[in-house]
């Protein structure tokens, strides 16, 4: 059994709970089961396109919040600005993070928290998950998992209220995991970031040039 670090963060960061390697299977990017409705979104980045299936039926609050950011152009011109590496399990492992950061002209009001135990949308490889501080504070920042991260799912049996709630997963990358891995491999700046996040910020953030519904043609 190998237990990994617990990282506590604000809107700028996510938390990775202690996870057992033996309990962490590796999966391919997933598609929502056919019986559930999804809305497909394309993130056009400076390294290539990501196609995302938003779980608008199973995680309607979180997925529709993200879709509003897409439809209103609030993600256009934002960046993937951070990568976190985990040195255990299948490599590369960890997450990338992007979104509106603290831009007051982009962020919308925080949304209610949707537990994975309620939605069934889990933190698997390729999952999108909302960044937040306390549950119910998520706005327009999100992360993408490079490998399965079950420790981020809600755990009602945990003595810690944070882990009882977990993080809100709301969709999956269905095409473009090579782009996710390329972003994760980008160099970081050793002087950027604060506290234990120092060194996790990308030296040259990767731009999200446009976010659009998949049925909307590119400009």
């Amino acid at each position: 059994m190998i237990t990994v670090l617990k990282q506590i963060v604000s809107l700028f960061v996510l938390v990775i709970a202690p996870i057992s390697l033996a309990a962490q299977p590796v999966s391919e990017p997933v598609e929502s089961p056919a019986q559930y409705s999804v809305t497909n979104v394309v993130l056009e980045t400076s390294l290539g396109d990501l196609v995302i299936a938003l779980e608008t039926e199973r995680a309607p609050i979180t997925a529709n919040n993200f879709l509003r950011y897409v439809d209103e152009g609030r993600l256009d011109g934002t960046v993937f600005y951070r990568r976190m590496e985990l040195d255990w399990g299948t490599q590369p492992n960890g997450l990338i993070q992007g979104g509106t950061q603290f831009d007051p002209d982009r962020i919308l009001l925080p949304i209610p928290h949707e537990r994975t135990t309620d939605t069934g949308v889990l933190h698997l490889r390729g999952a999108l998950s909302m960044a937040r501080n306390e549950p119910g504070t998520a706005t327009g920042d999100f992360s993408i998992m490079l490998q399965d991260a079950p420790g981020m799912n809600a755990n009602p049996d945990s003595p810690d209220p944070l882990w009882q709630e977990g993080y809100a997963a709301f969709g999956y990358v269905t095409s473009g995991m090579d782009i996710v891995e390329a972003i994760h491999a980008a160099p970081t700046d050793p002087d950027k970031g604060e506290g234990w996040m120092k060194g996790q910020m990308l030296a040259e953030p990767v731009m999200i040039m446009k976010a659009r519904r998949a049925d909307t043609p590119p400009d």
Side-chain angles (χ1 to χ4, degrees), residues 64-146:
N64 282 305
N65 174 70
F66 190 86
L67 197 57
R68 183 178 172 189
Y69 277 87
V70 170
D71 290 342
E72 295 181 6
R74 294 175 183 270
L75 294 176
D76 298 355
T78 62
V79 295
F80 285 102
Y81 53 83
R82 174 179 174 251
R83 66 167 170 138
M84 189 185 73
E85 294 183 88
L86 294 174
D87 60 3
W88 47 267
T90 301
Q91 296 297 312
N93 197 2
L95 57 82
I96 61 172
Q97 189 164 340
T100 56
Q101 298 174 277
F102 296 108
D103 186 343
D105 294 328
R106 293 182 182 271
I107 59 174
L108 298 168
L109 292 176
I111 58 172
H113 178 65
E114 289 184 303
R115 302 177 188 88
T116 55
T117 46
D118 295 329
T119 66
V121 184
L122 303 178
H123 288 86
L124 305 176
R125 172 173 162 82
L128 277 76
S129 183
M130 292 305 299
R132 49 92 168 160
N133 188 0
E134 297 299 321
T137 62
T139 54
D141 282 69
F142 63 98
S143 292
I144 301 177
M145 309 295 111
L146 271 79

